[in-house]
């Protein structure tokens, strides 16, 4: 199997009538997904006139069944898809389009008016135009020989240091290699029901989408608004018999933090995986207490290496109040630390930058050769061979137990009172205190002030006194903000840019 198209066709042959995808309004079988994606592919090829593969097509839609068939149709047409989330600001959408220069926009009919306010210059087709077409498949058959392992499959945008977003491009082969290891390691099968939380412009969604493609599992699409009402969300998970969650940490914390399990427990869930942020152990313990037979996994990895490069399967017993290890590398990957001089770091308690070689590195940043060259570099390994390597910008260290632990971003490291401090370490110290549910810290370099934002029941004064006993004085925040709740960004992570706007507890 060299492309995602190959595995989809195999799944269609094996499970044609099995439900492939569900949203709150409708569903499709694997045969129906295949036929609909074929119609979409043929219409795309008629419109763009491309005879070679690897061109971008963007999609503007809410999360729904038609979105899945659209992105698969783009792949069958030889293109790579980029999902544009309608919740994003108009200005950022315009910047994305400037970088991407898509051949075509597929637009949800219900969002046509919103899209027209974003851009009217890109060639556009509505879902209703592409889904109801009757293809001859002539153009699909003609483009298929040009689609191979190296053909781009999807692109996801990330922030750029210059203010211009960067598009990370992942090939068919990179996605297949990683998901092959992922599904095998965690024993996914056609019997699984995957509860999809991640938006399709966040690469966590690939673990849901391509796992379903590869195994024949059912993909249950969960609208974002369900996460504001835990009972509604839990009912949805239970009604669809969801067995697997690969969610952002903040999404999991919404259920445990708002005491959702006192309403209903989704007992059929077999695995819970999380990534993107540090999981507060108090919230993790709530999940483990209510789902004692469930496997919990801490995943790590940036989008540039295709989803994840390490995993840590949590023990069944409750962990002490400490950070979670990053765990071991997935098959096909090599994960190691380098110091500022490019030398390997193996000494315990010595931080280094996490670097990754091996399978599934991104093709690079679309239309951005300079940034690609800066982050994807050649590295001489211990055998003397040159390998392509991605420098993550994340810092980690090996501790006394021999495990690898995340210790912050290069850009989250601050210099305060003459000391170098990782804000994540301060956050962990706050999170370990009784009465704190979640904490996020920021640093004002002009005022030389650390501010701690937190949710929970503990009073500011008590929190301050407790921290003075746990942290060195230079790490104790100068200001505490007891807030009602955190605002999440489109990927389900805490939006650090809106901390100062949060409503405080009076």
């Amino acid at each position: 199997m060299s492309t995602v198209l190959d595995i989809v066709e195999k799944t269609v042959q094996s499970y044609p009538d099995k439900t492939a995808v569900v949203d709150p309004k409708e569903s499709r079988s694997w045969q129906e997904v295949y036929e609909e994606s074929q119609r979409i592919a043929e219409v795309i090829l008629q419109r763009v006139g491309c005879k070679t593969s690897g061109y971008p097509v963007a999609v503007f839609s809410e999360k729904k069944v038609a979105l899945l068939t659209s992105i698969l149709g783009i792949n069958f047409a030889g293109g790579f898809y980029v999902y544009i989330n309608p919740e994003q600001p108009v200005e950022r959408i315009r910047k994305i389009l400037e970088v991407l220069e898509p051949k075509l926009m597929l637009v949800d009919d219900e969002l046509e008016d919103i899209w027209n306010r974003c851009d009217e210059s890109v060639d556009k087709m509505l879902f209703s135009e592409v889904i109801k077409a009757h293809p001859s498949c002539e153009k699909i058959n003609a483009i298929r020989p040009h689609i191979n392992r190296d053909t781009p499959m999807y692109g996801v945008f990330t922030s750029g240091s210059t203010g211009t977003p960067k598009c990370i491009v992942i090939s068919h082969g990179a996605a297949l290699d990683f998901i092959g290891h992922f599904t095998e390691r965690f024993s996914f099968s056609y019997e699984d029901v995957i509860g999809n939380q991640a938006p399709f412009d966040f690469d966590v969604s690939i673990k849901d989408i391509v796992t379903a493609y590869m195994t024949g599992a059912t993909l249950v699409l969960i609208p974002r608004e369900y996460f504001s009402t835990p009972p509604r969300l839990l009912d949805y998970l239970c009604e669809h018999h969801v067995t697997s969650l690969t969610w952002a940490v903040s999404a999991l914390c919404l259920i445990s933090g708002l005491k959702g399990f006192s309403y209903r427990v989704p007992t059929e869930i077999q695995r819970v995986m999380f990534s993107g942020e540090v999981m507060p152990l108090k919230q993790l313990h709530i999940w483990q207490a209510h789902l004692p037979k469930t496997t919990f996994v801490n995943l790590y990895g940036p989008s540039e290496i295709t989803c994840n490069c390490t995993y840590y399967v949590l023990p069944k017993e409750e962990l002490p109040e400490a950070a979670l290890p990053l765990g071991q590398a997935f098959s096909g990957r090599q994960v190691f630390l380098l110091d500022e001089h490019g030398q390997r770091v193996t000494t315990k308690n010595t931080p280094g930058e996490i670097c990754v070689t091996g399978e599934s590195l991104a093709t690079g940043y679309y239309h951005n050769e300079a940034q690609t060259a800066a982050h994807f570099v050649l590295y001489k390994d211990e055998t003397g061979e040159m390998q392509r390597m991605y420098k993550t910008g994340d810092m980690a260290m090996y501790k006394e137990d021999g495990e690898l632990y995340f210790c912050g971003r290069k850009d989250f490291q601050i210099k305060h009172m003459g000391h170098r401090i990782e804000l994540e370490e301060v956050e962990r110290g706050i999170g370990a205190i009784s009465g704190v549910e979640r904490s996020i810290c920021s640093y004002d370099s002009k005022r030389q002030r650390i501010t701690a934002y937190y949710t929970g029941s503990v009073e500011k004064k008590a929190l301050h006194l407790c921290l003075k006993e746990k942290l060195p004085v230079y790490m104790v925040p100068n200001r505490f903000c007891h807030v009602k709740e955190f605002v999440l960004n489109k990927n389900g992570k805490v939006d650090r840019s809106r901390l100062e706007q949060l409503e405080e507890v009076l």
Side-chain angles (χ1 to χ4, degrees):
M1 299 292 175
S2 63
T3 71
V4 165
L5 310 182
D6 297 325
I7 64 168
V8 168
E9 289 171 340
K10 182 179 178 181
T11 293
V12 171
Q13 292 174 358
S14 301
Y15 313 108
D17 300 321
K18 184 178 181 293
T19 300
V21 59
V22 179
D23 68 26
K25 296 181 179 178
E26 58 182 337
S27 65
R28 298 279 192 283
S29 68
W30 280 109
Q31 184 67 41
E32 290 169 334
V33 164
Y34 176 75
E35 292 174 355
E36 194 166 295
S37 66
Q38 294 289 291
R39 293 196 292 271
I40 293 168
E42 185 79 8
V43 174
I44 289 172
L45 287 167
Q46 291 172 2
R47 187 68 162 254
V48 302
C50 287
K51 296 183 179 180
T52 57
S53 62
Y55 57 90
V57 176
V59 187
F60 189 73
S61 170
E62 299 290 354
K63 190 193 292 187
K64 59 197 303 185
V65 165
L67 173 59
L68 183 75
T69 58
S70 293
I71 65 173
L72 184 56
I74 292 167
N75 289 151
F76 268 110
F80 71 90
Y81 75 85
V82 173
Y83 173 61
I84 297 181
N85 197 317
E87 295 177 355
Q88 293 189 98
V90 171
E91 186 56 35
R92 179 170 173 81
I93 291 174
R94 289 172 178 165
K95 286 184 178 180
I96 287 173
L97 294 175
E98 287 175 8
V99 173
L100 190 63
E101 297 179 349
K103 292 287 187 182
L104 182 67
M105 279 297 313
L106 299 185
V107 177
D108 186 343
D109 295 60
E110 297 175 2
L111 300 179
E112 183 179 13
D113 291 341
I114 296 174
W115 174 253
N116 290 339
R117 293 198 292 270
C118 297
D119 189 282
E120 292 187 327
S121 62
V122 180
D123 190 16
K124 175 189 73 180
M125 291 190 75
L126 299 176
F127 279 3
S128 59
E129 296 179 72
V130 294
I131 289 175
K132 295 179 181 179
H134 296 283
S136 64
C137 293
E138 178 182 350
K139 293 184 181 296
I140 297 175
N141 293 335
I143 198 75
R144 187 62 175 269
H146 300 281
I147 306 172
N148 55 45
R149 281 182 55 86
D150 297 327
T151 301
M153 178 200 161
Y154 69 91
V156 291
F157 273 84
T158 186
S159 298
S161 58
T162 62
T164 299
K166 297 181 295 187
C167 180
I168 303 162
V169 178
I170 304 294
S171 69
H172 281 255
L176 281 187
D177 287 343
F178 172 71
I179 297 299
H181 298 308
F182 181 74
T183 55
E184 181 179 3
R185 174 60 188 83
F186 297 113
S187 304
F188 282 89
S189 75
Y190 73 95
E191 295 179 329
D192 272 301
V193 180
I194 299 169
N196 165 250
Q197 170 263 324
F200 281 26
D201 57 344
F202 190 30
D203 77 329
V204 174
S205 66
I206 294 300
K207 285 174 282 191
D208 297 336
I209 296 166
V210 183
T211 294
Y213 288 169
M214 187 170 284
T215 64
T218 297
L219 185 64
V220 176
L221 305 179
I222 308 172
R224 182 176 180 180
E225 59 267 24
Y226 281 31
F227 288 88
S228 62
T229 314
R232 185 184 191 188
L233 173 59
L234 289 164
D235 281 341
Y236 192 64
L237 297 178
C238 293
E239 288 165 8
H240 289 286
H241 307 285
V242 168
T243 64
S244 189
L245 306 179
T246 305
W247 284 10
V249 166
S250 294
L252 294 171
C253 290
L254 282 171
I255 291 178
S256 53
L258 294 175
K259 299 178 173 57
F261 292 130
S262 63
Y263 167 74
R264 192 172 187 181
V265 178
T267 55
E268 293 178 80
I269 292 176
Q270 299 171 14
R271 62 183 82 77
V272 175
M273 305 186 184
F274 47 87
S275 60
E277 297 174 284
V278 176
M279 180 69 177
L281 288 186
K282 289 179 183 176
Q283 303 303 317
L284 173 61
H285 293 159
I286 293 171
W287 275 85
Q288 289 178 308
H290 286 89
L291 295 170
K293 296 181 180 180
T294 299
T295 298
F296 290 83
V297 185
N298 183 29
L299 299 169
Y300 164 78
S303 300
E304 285 88 344
I305 54 86
T306 309
C307 300
N308 301 118
C309 55
T310 67
Y311 66 93
Y312 176 73
V313 179
L314 277 68
K316 292 296 182 182
E317 63 271 14
E318 190 172 289
L319 289 168
E321 294 295 336
L324 293 177
L326 296 181
Q328 64 191 86
F330 277 98
S331 297
R333 309 290 184 100
Q334 294 80 47
V335 179
F336 48 90
L337 305 181
L338 293 182
D339 64 18
E340 57 188 3
H341 305 295
Q343 300 300 310
R344 288 245 188 170
V345 176
T346 56
T347 307
K348 292 178 180 178
N349 299 313
T350 303
E353 182 177 6
I354 302 173
C355 297
V356 186
T357 60
E359 295 177 353
S360 299
L361 297 191
T363 303
Y365 301 109
Y366 195 62
H367 288 166
N368 197 333
E369 293 182 4
Q371 285 293 313
T372 299
H375 292 279
F376 295 88
V377 300
L378 290 177
Y379 170 74
K380 184 181 289 188
D381 66 18
E382 294 172 319
T383 67
E385 292 188 13
M386 300 301 292
Q387 293 197 48
R388 190 164 176 259
M389 176 179 75
Y390 177 68
K391 301 167 65 176
T392 68
D394 289 334
M395 305 296 288
M397 68 171 68
Y398 293 99
K399 293 195 176 180
E400 298 301 330
D401 60 3
E403 293 281 4
L404 183 64
Y405 289 83
F406 180 77
C407 60
R409 284 286 302 173
K410 276 186 171 182
D411 47 5
F412 281 2
Q413 188 182 76
I414 64 171
K415 186 82 173 285
H416 181 60
M417 296 176 64
H419 298 270
R420 290 201 174 277
I421 300 169
E422 301 291 348
L423 289 179
E424 281 88 350
E425 186 175 354
V426 181
E427 292 169 359
R428 285 200 297 271
I430 298 170
I433 293 173
S434 178
V436 175
E437 290 181 356
R438 189 97 192 264
S439 69
I440 299 291
C441 291
S442 68
Y443 185 64
D444 186 332
S445 58
K446 290 183 179 179
R447 297 184 182 182
Q448 291 281 298
R449 184 172 73 176
I450 300 173
T451 299
Y453 300 84
Y454 73 95
T455 58
S457 58
V458 66
E459 297 294 331
K460 295 180 187 179
K461 186 175 181 179
L463 177 56
H464 189 199
L465 290 173
C466 286
L467 277 182
K468 289 172 69 175
E469 297 177 1
K470 287 179 171 288
L471 298 176
V473 64
Y474 59 83
M475 292 178 65
V476 175
N478 309 96
R479 175 172 169 252
F480 293 86
C481 289
H482 187 186
V483 300
K484 291 187 175 181
E485 61 182 357
F486 289 109
V487 175
L488 307 184
N489 63 20
K490 64 183 180 64
N491 293 336
K493 297 182 182 181
V494 172
D495 190 340
R496 291 177 180 265
S497 68
R498 298 179 64 180
L499 292 176
E500 293 185 2
Q501 302 166 26
L502 297 178
E503 183 180 357
E504 292 195 53
V505 175
L506 300 177

